[in-house]
Amino acid sequence: MRISEAQRRMLEFERARGWDKFRESQIFTHLIEEMSEIGRHILVKEGYKVKGLGHEVPDDDVAREFGQAFSLLLQLANRLGVDLEKAFAEEIERMEKR
């Protein structure tokens, strides 16, 4: 699926469920929360945080956390009028020139 298609699907999904009433700041905060859950997986995997010592990893697999974070990023980009496919293509082009 192209990123533009993912953005379109997310927009339709949001509107169908009435999620378009949420503010950008709420979506951003939720995105940071999901990124933190990815971070927790990494810290436990690398042994920095040890399971059973108050540092539990959710039973969900890390792929789901990435999916949740990506959906929130799509929502935020839609709200701010950002074409992520174009933005990524332009950024990767800049990075390749360095």
Side-chain angles (χ1 to χ4, degrees):
M1 173 185 308
R2 297 184 62 92
I3 298 171
S4 57
E5 173 67 10
Q7 277 191 259
R8 185 190 61 73
R9 286 186 63 189
M10 192 69 240
L11 185 61
E12 290 171 0
F13 185 87
E14 265 193 293
R15 287 178 178 160
R17 285 162 181 76
W19 291 3
D20 53 346
K21 68 179 180 246
F22 296 118
R23 298 175 61 176
E24 288 83 4
S25 59
Q26 294 169 307
I27 297 167
F28 178 75
T29 301
H30 193 176
L31 172 60
I32 297 305
E33 178 188 357
E34 296 303 334
M35 294 301 294
S36 295
E37 291 177 15
I38 293 168
R40 188 175 328 129
H41 280 275
I42 294 167
L43 292 173
V44 169
K45 178 181 176 268
E46 292 181 350
Y48 182 77
K49 300 269 185 172
V50 179
K51 288 182 190 180
L53 295 177
H55 306 293
E56 300 304 320
V57 173
D59 291 334
D60 299 336
D61 96 37
V62 72
R64 180 160 188 240
E65 304 300 343
F66 274 96
Q68 291 171 344
F70 185 62
S71 71
L72 291 161
L73 183 66
L74 293 171
Q75 288 177 51
L76 201 53
N78 284 340
R79 296 294 184 82
L80 299 175
V82 174
D83 177 339
L84 281 174
E85 197 164 324
K86 180 180 176 191
F88 176 74
E90 290 172 355
E91 184 60 24
I92 198 75
E93 187 176 315
R94 282 196 276 305
M95 290 169 35
E96 289 172 340
K97 291 178 182 177
R98 291 185 201 157

